Amino acid sequence: MPELTYREAVRDALSTAMRQDEDVFIMGEDIAEMGGSMGVTAGMLDEFGKERVRNTPISEMALAGAAIGAAMQGMRPVAEIMYEDFLTLAAEQVVNQAAKLRYMSGGQLTVPVTFRTQGGAGWSPGAQHAQQLEAWFVHIPGLKVVFASTPEDVRGLLWSAIYDDNPVVFFEHRTLYPIKGDVPQEIEPIPIGRARVHREGEDVTVIATGRLLHESLKAAEQAEGDGISVEVVDPRTLQPLDEETLVSSVKKTNRAVVAHEAVTRMGFGAEVAAVLQYQAFDWLDAPIERVGAKFAPLPFAPVMEQFVVPHAEEVLAAIKRTVGKA
Amino acid sequence: MPELTYREAVRDALSTAMRQDEDVFIMGEDIAEMGGSMGVTAGMLDEFGKERVRNTPISEMALAGAAIGAAMQGMRPVAEIMYEDFLTLAAEQVVNQAAKLRYMSGGQLTVPVTFRTQGGAGWSPGAQHAQQLEAWFVHIPGLKVVFASTPEDVRGLLWSAIYDDNPVVFFEHRTLYPIKGDVPQEIEPIPIGRARVHREGEDVTVIATGRLLHESLKAAEQAEGDGISVEVVDPRTLQPLDEETLVSSVKKTNRAVVAHEAVTRMGFGAEVAAVLQYQAFDWLDAPIERVGAKFAPLPFAPVMEQFVVPHAEEVLAAIKRTVGKA
Amino acid sequence: MEHRTTLAKSDLHDVLREMLLIRRFEEKVEERFRAGELPGFLHVAIGQEASAVGVCRALEDGDVIASTHRAHGHTLAKGTHPNELMAELYGKQEGCSHGYGGSMHLFDVERGNMGANAVVGGGLPLVTGAALAFQMRGEPRVAVAFFGDGATNIGTFHEALNLAQLWTVPAVFVLEDNKWAESTPESQHSPIRDLSLRAKAFGMKGLKADGQDVEAVYKAARQALDHARSGKGPVFLHLDCVRFRGHYIGDPQVYRDKDEARRLAETRDPITRLREKLQLGDDEFADLDTEVTEIVEASVEFAKAGTDPAPEDALKNIYA
Amino acid sequence: MEHRTTLAKSDLHDVLREMLLIRRFEEKVEERFRAGELPGFLHVAIGQEASAVGVCRALEDGDVIASTHRAHGHTLAKGTHPNELMAELYGKQEGCSHGYGGSMHLFDVERGNMGANAVVGGGLPLVTGAALAFQMRGEPRVAVAFFGDGATNIGTFHEALNLAQLWTVPAVFVLEDNKWAESTPESQHSPIRDLSLRAKAFGMKGLKADGQDVEAVYKAARQALDHARSGKGPVFLHLDCVRFRGHYIGDPQVYRDKDEARRLAETRDPITRLREKLQLGDDEFADLDTEVTEIVEASVEFAKAGTDPAPEDALKNIYA
Ligand SMILES: Cc1ncc(C[n+]2csc(CCOP(=O)(O)OP(=O)(O)O)c2C)c(N)n1
Ligand SMILES: Cc1ncc(C[n+]2csc(CCOP(=O)(O)OP(=O)(O)O)c2C)c(N)n1
Ligand SMILES: [Mg+2]
Ligand SMILES: [Mg+2]
């Protein structure tokens, strides 16, 4: 099994798809010579040329919309929105067009477009460069929403996103690009809509996405030292949501913590909590804990930034609260 | 007590504020001669002139942003975004600018802007003209979010929104404009952040917004016929959320239904359910029910549209499920 | 197909018939809406038939269009049968969007109609993208966007045209400049009187035509399409048009001088104009009218006899 | 204050000092960033000092500016003390945004700085709105937006300028055209070579100046401000600028010819230019340099000695 960074894994999925398939191409701001603001597409210009590794002007609406239009004509574009914060600019096209075209046409159209984007705190980029907005897109019927947390997952899921006939909003987390992990020799598509149990446990289920998956795995390790057995599940795709895996885990452990970096209020954890309390009501021995960013824009000063977004510590505290060992 | 329609109540709040205060003005598409696409601002041009009843081009970003900029300079603009669907176009300005300017400046700025918008199903306007997107804005620290359901509330809350020193996203529901209700002679500001108990009951609490408040009141009436005593609460402001009122109601009734017209998945009801299961865990005798639109864009054909969005019937069914009389 | 740059004389009768069909179709839509039979928000393009017919006639097989909220004319001109369009307005399964779309969301993908759009400017980037796909695959196809004067104020318009020109994709952007955006006259929504300047900001080739003269529209569209198809880049086609009616059906037009519309209808009706050019006598015209009116009436019958979707059908077609 | 249209000779020394201070400040920022002392994403405007100083010098009391991600120069030129700016970059309470903002969110409301903006184009509608407020209240103030060539492609830019012109608000839109948007050269992001055309699409008055010549900038800015202030409407001020460094601090500039920046720094340095004009000898210049360098060093000391916010401070200032 080769080892790849998360960054390389994204690149590998893109490049492999582009090698095998003329319909796949990538577009976005500074993805060509510069290789993207996070270096994800570095080197791809040389291999594929500027038609298929297409730098765009700073025009989030039009670049998203052009990707949608090309997808309507049978291409499989992967459009990069440099930071999630700028999804707010492309929102009309993603939400009113991509998500609804198939439906409004009564099933005539398919829109196989992928929107890759990334964000995340950790480097003090400030309030307009690090938001996590995945919850918005989970609210929109017609979109699929992926948030991958490991090199293996990001590669297999991006592959599936590219070949999915629906628009997919694909979230990456900035701090994960350098992490390494084993991946299968050949790309194995990971089905959209299937959660991954990263660690089995008996006492509490932690459901976590993105960076918080890794924080949760750390917290689980620490909890084990305290004799708490933690199951850690990454939904990986937020839409469709693998409710079955989440619910059956909680039915086993009788306790749940949901963790993400986005603001807790109205974050993805709210939906998970609402689903779990409904479907596992009789199994729950404690209220479902939500761990997410505190209710503030992201501040600049590192001490404040670190205070706002959650870490293993907060996950561990939540775990302990659910098992009554706080 | 005079009787006003919801439409007149909105107009009364705007006009009264504009009469007493030169800093207040309204802007938006077709709000002048036409009086707005829903007739809300009809007649205001004659009274206040075109400077203060300011028609804008179709430029949602700039009209939202110009309102923000004017607010930064001490005006109190009320900008109308014709339909909620077009908030997707103004999202960058509302979310990255209005919501965060005070924070990013370390408290130097205030941004007393109000964004009025409306939407809602019922007339088959189709997928791009009737979305309910209030949940998006509840996720954004720095914004206040109001959704008013009666003439009295809409007038008193809009007044408070105009005079609030923070950006407020103010949702109206299209089907409510013609409804009538008593209002106090003089405008009484209704504090942002306070829920309203519309009906007291013992067996189950229905928490409902917008059109669904009225559907829930109907459902409560019907439930009473079946011997179920229903408390109906309208949060009115979604951000800040009056958790105390909601939680104490549920602690009394031990059951809860959350109802809104927006898509259930990742809708506002998810947040309410997450809060309630956490704060009233030991009091809950049944899982919290969520009533909202089915997971689909809004279809055109009336039979399908009616199927997608909820009515009293669905609220009643949810009430019955919670009390085990389904 | 022979490559023409102007409408052949022999086609003009057909063109008149098509414009008249659209006119009668929309008048019927107004009538049925007022009778309470049609749900939704509806916008007719009565008076603007020459733009729809002139442009669509100029297209080649394989070319595609994207339309706006004012889409009936474009849709018919692009080849959708009146039955299917009327059925859509009635929300029937037989409709061109199978009852999912409605007046502002008319699709006919097989016939190259990428769809009407209820978001002003919303379709423009899609057209840039479709044209990009044609370019990347080396297909000699053109993507055409219709939009109004009001749409030239929205950022989407600027971004989409800028991108199209930057990449020299085969697209034609057809501005139907009827001088109104709902109730807002052009002088209140645009600081410039000649909207052609908008395209200059991107260095895009611009063409202008009297949008009430179907022959002029055809000729300009043909030129624009040829330019785009030959790889020289997109074209901005500015059509000077007239909106005879209100913004939406039922619009009391309190904001508009009552005489204006009447005067314009008298002097700038594209149908009258072509009829006079063809020197069509009253009888001949009446025959034509009867013919198209029958088609329209039949479309109402067809629509009313159509199948209502089942409520649960609302849960189909969300994902592929 | 006397109304001048060009920089007085007697001011030029001061102007040089200010530009040099900004230069040394930003060089220090680069150094401290590389030393790992500064968090965040940072962009220096080294080479573009003339634009910041020339425009801000031309402002009257009460005028306001809005800046971009490349904001240090504008912020200093608008009067924020280097200590407060440096403290902000160190994330300290003494910073001009009290540690909440950082390099891309520099505010100094009291001094008329409405804020830097990390969203390209994000500040433009705010400037239109501020100018609208001035107009509605009859105040003789002007709102000024800085932005780059890359920003001319975003819809926000078009909408904001269009609205400003439509309403003839007192705004000046200053394009700092350094020919790059991150790694993307102008030829790859704009289909036109003369970005002045952008303003013509709205009928906006345009002015052009060599952005590397502070006197020319001042003169053009003065003209623009006078025009706007007198109620004649907004002005688009196109400055031909040069980016000497990478897009962000640490940018390896793999996309850029290594010689280009060097050559430009040699031939188009606004500081060298003014220094030569003033015929400043080496000693005199060295003195000036020492003077400003001391201020910069002191700002680092000030910043380092500043107070870190408490973690819980993050929950303040969210609402008024
Ligand atoms: C983004 C957006 N804003 C507002 C509206 C509401 N609206 C529908 S049509 C219209 C006017 C459009 O004017 P124009 O583009 O000139 O087209 P016309 O109606 O004249 O054909 C407006 C404001 C909309 N549909 N989309
Ligand atoms: C809406 C948006 N898209 C993308 C970015 C990322 N970004 C930051 S600066 C920049 C380039 C800006 O170029 P220009 O406007 O010319 O300003 P310059 O950096 O040259 O000063 C980009 C793409 C952003 N900040 N905002
Ligand atoms: Mg128009
Ligand atoms: Mg630049």
PDB file of all heavy atoms in Angstrom, chain A residues 307-321:
ATOM      1  N   PHE A 307      -9.157  29.306  20.939  1.00  0.00           N
ATOM      2  CA  PHE A 307     -10.252  29.224  21.906  1.00  0.00           C
ATOM      3  C   PHE A 307     -11.590  28.973  21.207  1.00  0.00           C
ATOM      4  O   PHE A 307     -12.455  28.266  21.715  1.00  0.00           O
ATOM      5  CB  PHE A 307     -10.317  30.525  22.710  1.00  0.00           C
ATOM      6  CG  PHE A 307     -11.458  30.607  23.679  1.00  0.00           C
ATOM      7  CD1 PHE A 307     -11.421  29.894  24.881  1.00  0.00           C
ATOM      8  CD2 PHE A 307     -12.566  31.401  23.408  1.00  0.00           C
ATOM      9  CE1 PHE A 307     -12.471  29.976  25.785  1.00  0.00           C
ATOM     10  CE2 PHE A 307     -13.623  31.485  24.306  1.00  0.00           C
ATOM     11  CZ  PHE A 307     -13.570  30.765  25.501  1.00  0.00           C
ATOM     12  N   VAL A 308     -11.735  29.550  20.036  1.00  0.00           N
ATOM     13  CA  VAL A 308     -13.032  29.462  19.350  1.00  0.00           C
ATOM     14  C   VAL A 308     -13.276  28.072  18.756  1.00  0.00           C
ATOM     15  O   VAL A 308     -14.367  27.530  18.864  1.00  0.00           O
ATOM     16  CB  VAL A 308     -13.150  30.553  18.261  1.00  0.00           C
ATOM     17  CG1 VAL A 308     -14.346  30.297  17.353  1.00  0.00           C
ATOM     18  CG2 VAL A 308     -13.288  31.930  18.905  1.00  0.00           C
ATOM     19  N   VAL A 309     -12.260  27.517  18.122  1.00  0.00           N
ATOM     20  CA  VAL A 309     -12.493  26.207  17.491  1.00  0.00           C
ATOM     21  C   VAL A 309     -12.128  25.072  18.445  1.00  0.00           C
ATOM     22  O   VAL A 309     -11.266  25.220  19.305  1.00  0.00           O
ATOM     23  CB  VAL A 309     -11.711  26.055  16.160  1.00  0.00           C
ATOM     24  CG1 VAL A 309     -12.191  27.066  15.141  1.00  0.00           C
ATOM     25  CG2 VAL A 309     -10.217  26.142  16.373  1.00  0.00           C
ATOM     26  N   PRO A 310     -12.804  23.962  18.294  1.00  0.00           N
ATOM     27  CA  PRO A 310     -12.610  22.866  19.248  1.00  0.00           C
ATOM     28  C   PRO A 310     -11.399  21.992  18.929  1.00  0.00           C
ATOM     29  O   PRO A 310     -10.945  21.928  17.788  1.00  0.00           O
ATOM     30  CB  PRO A 310     -13.890  22.064  19.089  1.00  0.00           C
ATOM     31  CG  PRO A 310     -14.342  22.312  17.693  1.00  0.00           C
ATOM     32  CD  PRO A 310     -13.874  23.691  17.331  1.00  0.00           C
ATOM     33  N   HIS A 311     -10.939  21.345  19.959  1.00  0.00           N
ATOM     34  CA  HIS A 311      -9.796  20.430  19.868  1.00  0.00           C
ATOM     35  C   HIS A 311     -10.137  19.142  20.637  1.00  0.00           C
ATOM     36  O   HIS A 311     -11.224  19.029  21.185  1.00  0.00           O
ATOM     37  CB  HIS A 311      -8.567  21.103  20.479  1.00  0.00           C
ATOM     38  CG  HIS A 311      -8.235  22.400  19.821  1.00  0.00           C
ATOM     39  ND1 HIS A 311      -7.480  22.483  18.682  1.00  0.00           N
ATOM     40  CD2 HIS A 311      -8.614  23.669  20.115  1.00  0.00           C
ATOM     41  CE1 HIS A 311      -7.386  23.746  18.302  1.00  0.00           C
ATOM     42  NE2 HIS A 311      -8.069  24.493  19.156  1.00  0.00           N
ATOM     43  N   ALA A 312      -9.178  18.251  20.673  1.00  0.00           N
ATOM     44  CA  ALA A 312      -9.373  16.964  21.359  1.00  0.00           C
ATOM     45  C   ALA A 312      -9.903  17.172  22.777  1.00  0.00           C
ATOM     46  O   ALA A 312     -10.774  16.431  23.251  1.00  0.00           O
ATOM     47  CB  ALA A 312      -8.063  16.193  21.386  1.00  0.00           C
ATOM     48  N   GLU A 313      -9.369  18.164  23.421  1.00  0.00           N
ATOM     49  CA  GLU A 313      -9.760  18.499  24.785  1.00  0.00           C
ATOM     50  C   GLU A 313     -11.275  18.650  24.962  1.00  0.00           C
ATOM     51  O   GLU A 313     -11.865  18.093  25.887  1.00  0.00           O
ATOM     52  CB  GLU A 313      -9.118  19.858  25.041  1.00  0.00           C
ATOM     53  CG  GLU A 313      -8.816  20.212  26.427  1.00  0.00           C
ATOM     54  CD  GLU A 313      -8.195  21.630  26.425  1.00  0.00           C
ATOM     55  OE1 GLU A 313      -7.436  21.959  25.461  1.00  0.00           O
ATOM     56  OE2 GLU A 313      -8.523  22.393  27.345  1.00  0.00           O
ATOM     57  N   GLU A 314     -11.881  19.426  24.053  1.00  0.00           N
ATOM     58  CA  GLU A 314     -13.325  19.637  24.145  1.00  0.00           C
ATOM     59  C   GLU A 314     -14.090  18.346  23.832  1.00  0.00           C
ATOM     60  O   GLU A 314     -15.144  18.093  24.395  1.00  0.00           O
ATOM     61  CB  GLU A 314     -13.790  20.734  23.173  1.00  0.00           C
ATOM     62  CG  GLU A 314     -13.534  22.144  23.648  1.00  0.00           C
ATOM     63  CD  GLU A 314     -12.156  22.658  23.267  1.00  0.00           C
ATOM     64  OE1 GLU A 314     -11.384  21.910  22.621  1.00  0.00           O
ATOM     65  OE2 GLU A 314     -11.831  23.804  23.631  1.00  0.00           O
ATOM     66  N   VAL A 315     -13.543  17.580  22.922  1.00  0.00           N
ATOM     67  CA  VAL A 315     -14.211  16.313  22.604  1.00  0.00           C
ATOM     68  C   VAL A 315     -14.146  15.394  23.822  1.00  0.00           C
ATOM     69  O   VAL A 315     -15.132  14.760  24.213  1.00  0.00           O
ATOM     70  CB  VAL A 315     -13.559  15.629  21.376  1.00  0.00           C
ATOM     71  CG1 VAL A 315     -14.256  14.308  21.065  1.00  0.00           C
ATOM     72  CG2 VAL A 315     -13.607  16.555  20.162  1.00  0.00           C
ATOM     73  N   LEU A 316     -12.965  15.353  24.434  1.00  0.00           N
ATOM     74  CA  LEU A 316     -12.792  14.508  25.611  1.00  0.00           C
ATOM     75  C   LEU A 316     -13.740  14.940  26.727  1.00  0.00           C
ATOM     76  O   LEU A 316     -14.386  14.096  27.380  1.00  0.00           O
ATOM     77  CB  LEU A 316     -11.335  14.583  26.087  1.00  0.00           C
ATOM     78  CG  LEU A 316     -10.996  13.675  27.270  1.00  0.00           C
ATOM     79  CD1 LEU A 316     -11.217  12.210  26.904  1.00  0.00           C
ATOM     80  CD2 LEU A 316      -9.532  13.893  27.698  1.00  0.00           C
ATOM     81  N   ALA A 317     -13.828  16.234  26.932  1.00  0.00           N
ATOM     82  CA  ALA A 317     -14.736  16.733  27.980  1.00  0.00           C
ATOM     83  C   ALA A 317     -16.169  16.307  27.688  1.00  0.00           C
ATOM     84  O   ALA A 317     -16.910  15.913  28.597  1.00  0.00           O
ATOM     85  CB  ALA A 317     -14.629  18.254  28.077  1.00  0.00           C
ATOM     86  N   ALA A 318     -16.547  16.374  26.415  1.00  0.00           N
ATOM     87  CA  ALA A 318     -17.912  15.992  26.049  1.00  0.00           C
ATOM     88  C   ALA A 318     -18.124  14.495  26.268  1.00  0.00           C
ATOM     89  O   ALA A 318     -19.167  14.053  26.764  1.00  0.00           O
ATOM     90  CB  ALA A 318     -18.181  16.368  24.597  1.00  0.00           C
ATOM     91  N   ILE A 319     -17.112  13.720  25.908  1.00  0.00           N
ATOM     92  CA  ILE A 319     -17.184  12.272  26.135  1.00  0.00           C
ATOM     93  C   ILE A 319     -17.412  12.001  27.624  1.00  0.00           C
ATOM     94  O   ILE A 319     -18.296  11.232  28.013  1.00  0.00           O
ATOM     95  CB  ILE A 319     -15.873  11.590  25.663  1.00  0.00           C
ATOM     96  CG1 ILE A 319     -15.794  11.588  24.130  1.00  0.00           C
ATOM     97  CG2 ILE A 319     -15.761  10.184  26.224  1.00  0.00           C
ATOM     98  CD1 ILE A 319     -14.425  11.157  23.582  1.00  0.00           C
ATOM     99  N   LYS A 320     -16.638  12.696  28.413  1.00  0.00           N
ATOM    100  CA  LYS A 320     -16.749  12.460  29.859  1.00  0.00           C
ATOM    101  C   LYS A 320     -18.100  12.897  30.396  1.00  0.00           C
ATOM    102  O   LYS A 320     -18.668  12.239  31.272  1.00  0.00           O
ATOM    103  CB  LYS A 320     -15.620  13.181  30.590  1.00  0.00           C
ATOM    104  CG  LYS A 320     -14.276  12.508  30.324  1.00  0.00           C
ATOM    105  CD  LYS A 320     -13.192  13.066  31.214  1.00  0.00           C
ATOM    106  CE  LYS A 320     -11.881  12.324  30.969  1.00  0.00           C
ATOM    107  NZ  LYS A 320     -10.747  12.959  31.700  1.00  0.00           N
ATOM    108  N   ARG A 321     -18.598  13.988  29.857  1.00  0.00           N
ATOM    109  CA  ARG A 321     -19.933  14.404  30.309  1.00  0.00           C
ATOM    110  C   ARG A 321     -20.976  13.333  29.997  1.00  0.00           C
ATOM    111  O   ARG A 321     -21.814  13.019  30.831  1.00  0.00           O
ATOM    112  CB  ARG A 321     -20.347  15.720  29.643  1.00  0.00           C
ATOM    113  CG  ARG A 321     -19.763  16.970  30.291  1.00  0.00           C
ATOM    114  CD  ARG A 321     -20.497  18.249  29.871  1.00  0.00           C
ATOM    115  NE  ARG A 321     -20.469  18.477  28.434  1.00  0.00           N
ATOM    116  CZ  ARG A 321     -19.458  19.081  27.789  1.00  0.00           C
ATOM    117  NH1 ARG A 321     -18.384  19.495  28.449  1.00  0.00           N
ATOM    118  NH2 ARG A 321     -19.510  19.249  26.486  1.00  0.00           N
TER     119      ARG A 321
END
